[in-house]
Amino acid sequence: MVSQACGDKQQRRRLGAARIAAACFGWLAVQAAGSQAALPHPGPAAAPATAQPRLITAWTHEDANSPHFEVLQKAVDRFNGRQRGYQVRIVSSVRRIYESWIHSEAATGSLPCLVEFDGPYLPAFAWPGYLQPIDRFVPPDMLGDFLPSIVAQGTYQGRLYSLGQYDSGMGMWGNRRYLQAAGVRIPTLAAPWNLAEFEQALEKLAAVEGVDYAISLGLHNKPSGEFFSYAYAPILQGFGGDLIDRASYRSAKGVLDGPRSVLAMKHFQRWVQQGWARGAMARFDDFDKGRAALSWSGNWAYRRYDKALGKDLVALPMPDFGQGIKTGMGSWAWGMSSTCSEPAGAWAFLAYLLSDKEIVNMTSVNNGIPARRSAMLASPLYGAEGPLRFYVRQLETAGVPRPATPAYDTISKAFGEAVARIAAGADVQAELSKAAAIIDRNIAAHRGYQHE
């Protein structure tokens, strides 16, 4: 269909200029690659028959002055030192509106070979043809070593488009001293708090001397960002609701604003109204400073909280609100553009970046959950005796991928804005119905995001 659309005016009008621009560039690149593109699992890339190494450019969202970028740059330097055929250049894109920049560059066929993006946005880049599948490169034994959540995040319509070095998971952090003072049981994965226990714990903790309020929910974050949908969708799912109908990904009506989701958000609103949690405010360090007894956060907060609380810090699983523990999952990953003229070289670097050593190097800095089981064994945080090991077990049994649809950006923003208004006291049913309508209009405007 892409080959027809590249030369057919009617197809171009029907599919849209942006989709066809990217898809045609990708189709032409694959045609140019010839039989090389058909190889199921290429081995290490052979050096091109030229004395000049071929440049592979990779875009990352990391700030060029951050420790994370430094880890990436060192990986690039090591790879370049071993390669004669290819040289990689890493480019920081943090000062741009990243997703918008990718879309604008893709529409003109100007993407580099490798692009890093937040996992749930994969469908928005794969659907219009900006990316090419990478499953033909990945050996089965390598793919089988990745966490199922990483593979699920990187798969769209049955094809693997991305892999990342690390995953993430929601959880709670507790101040052991306050929990003991309140006489509250410390939950485990095998015996998490149920809804009644959780709310009783909030009530008791709020009454402990020195505690301003029981739990920091993260409402200081911006509702237009990613945190709200990532952090609070597990509450919906724990009650049996969700952000969208996952059978078809065609509508949020009756799901996001259905009775189970409404009940979930009424409880959420109650936590704020009872004074157990605080709504939007400028402070972000109330748990660190001992003003809150619990934090609704994730694995990424470990080093900061450990430094602040030391032995008083305790990692807690998500509550079971009736449908089992549910946790957010997914993180930044790497994909290959459809316009990449050196796919073998791009895969050679990506495979190197996804090696155990490089995964451990990165996750030792950012606290991420190692994407491969073999790398996890060498991780000081997630190994058999690691302080964050429970996040892996929780992810394996309770991780829920964010909706795999190009409409995710609209879903995330509409739900985030609804949550902010609900926390401020707005009518729960009205806000969720408003969000569902916004989502459904977006999906309808794009004809369900279906390929014709």
Side-chain angles (χ1 to χ4, degrees), residues 103 124 127 244 249-253 405-414 434-450:
H103 280 292
W127 173 71
I244 193 171
Y249 290 103
R250 301 295 291 268
S251 178
K253 184 176 176 57
T405 167
Y408 178 73
D409 186 52
T410 298
I411 293 171
S412 178
K413 289 175 180 175
K434 187 187 302 180
I438 291 170
I439 294 164
D440 283 8
R441 283 198 298 271
N442 174 272
I443 294 172
H446 292 86
R447 298 184 180 182
Y449 290 105
Q450 301 299 306

Side-chain angles (χ1 to χ4, degrees), residues 117-141:
F117 46 81
D118 202 358
Y121 292 94
L122 163 63
F125 301 139
W127 173 71
Y130 299 162
L131 303 175
Q132 60 176 291
I134 61 171
D135 38 21
R136 64 192 174 98
F137 293 107
V138 190
D141 57 341

Side-chain angles (χ1 to χ4, degrees), residues 108-295:
T108 61
S110 302
L111 287 178
C113 267
L114 292 172
V115 180
E116 187 187 32
F117 46 81
D118 202 358
Y121 292 94
L122 163 63
F125 301 139
W127 173 71
Y130 299 162
L131 303 175
Q132 60 176 291
I134 61 171
D135 38 21
R136 64 192 174 98
F137 293 107
V138 190
D141 57 341
M142 180 182 184
L143 187 64
D145 191 39
F146 280 90
L147 293 175
S149 56
I150 292 288
V151 178
Q153 172 187 259
T155 302
Y156 177 62
Q157 295 191 338
R159 299 299 302 273
L160 183 70
Y161 284 88
S162 73
L163 289 170
Q165 291 181 299
Y166 51 90
D167 208 335
S168 67
M170 280 298 299
M172 291 188 296
W173 296 97
N175 187 318
R176 192 188 306 271
R177 179 164 55 88
Y178 290 151
L179 290 166
Q180 291 174 345
V184 172
R185 177 181 73 88
I186 295 179
T188 65
L189 276 173
W193 286 331
N194 59 29
L195 175 61
E197 273 190 295
F198 176 64
E199 294 189 339
Q200 288 166 7
L202 296 183
E203 185 175 19
K204 291 179 179 179
L205 288 166
V208 171
E209 185 178 355
V211 175
D212 287 355
Y213 60 100
I215 186 167
S216 173
L217 287 172
L219 286 166
H220 60 271
N221 288 283
K222 294 181 179 179
S224 59
E226 183 61 17
F227 182 78
F228 276 47
S229 58
Y230 176 89
Y232 308 136
I235 301 175
L236 299 182
Q237 293 148 0
F239 278 82
D242 209 341
L243 295 166
I244 193 171
D245 173 17
R246 294 190 186 234
S248 66
Y249 290 103
R250 301 295 291 268
S251 178
K253 184 176 176 57
V255 179
L256 177 55
D257 62 346
R260 294 183 178 185
S261 295
V262 170
L263 180 61
M265 285 295 100
K266 282 186 175 180
H267 276 274
F268 179 87
Q269 188 179 65
R270 179 171 178 258
W271 303 338
V272 178
Q273 291 177 340
Q274 289 289 333
W276 300 336
R278 296 283 172 84
M281 57 184 180
R283 294 201 309 256
F284 66 91
D285 59 353
D286 282 353
F287 181 70
D288 313 50
K289 301 297 186 183
R291 292 186 286 256
L294 300 172
S295 172

Side-chain angles (χ1 to χ4, degrees), residues 9-29:
K9 292 182 179 178
Q10 285 188 335
Q11 288 278 25
R12 284 201 295 270
R13 283 196 298 269
R14 191 148 54 97
L15 291 179
R19 286 184 61 194
I20 288 301
C24 290
F25 276 113
W27 178 74
L28 292 171

Side-chain angles (χ1 to χ4, degrees), residues 314-443:
V314 56
L316 309 174
M318 295 285 277
D320 178 355
F321 293 127
Q323 299 295 318
I325 290 176
K326 307 296 179 184
T327 178
M329 55 174 273
S331 196
W332 292 84
W334 292 92
M336 191 182 301
S337 71
S338 57
T339 53
C340 178
S341 61
E342 300 290 347
W347 169 249
F349 173 66
L350 184 53
Y352 179 78
L353 204 60
L354 297 172
S355 65
D356 290 351
K357 180 180 178 181
E358 295 304 330
I359 288 175
V360 172
N361 287 341
M362 178 58 76
T363 55
S364 295
V365 171
N366 70 2
N367 302 333
I369 300 171
R372 298 180 63 173
R373 300 182 194 281
S374 52
M376 212 170 290
L377 297 175
S379 169
L381 295 177
Y382 296 94
E385 302 300 325
L388 303 183
R389 177 65 185 172
F390 103 91
Y391 271 102
V392 180
R393 300 197 300 271
Q394 180 177 258
L395 192 65
E396 291 175 329
T397 59
V400 181
R402 281 164 279 183
T405 167
Y408 178 73
D409 186 52
T410 298
I411 293 171
S412 178
K413 289 175 180 175
F415 178 61
E417 295 291 345
V419 169
R421 288 190 288 267
I422 288 168
D427 182 79
V428 173
Q429 181 73 69
E431 292 301 329
L432 292 182
S433 291
K434 187 187 302 180
I438 291 170
I439 294 164
D440 283 8
R441 283 198 298 271
N442 174 272
I443 294 172

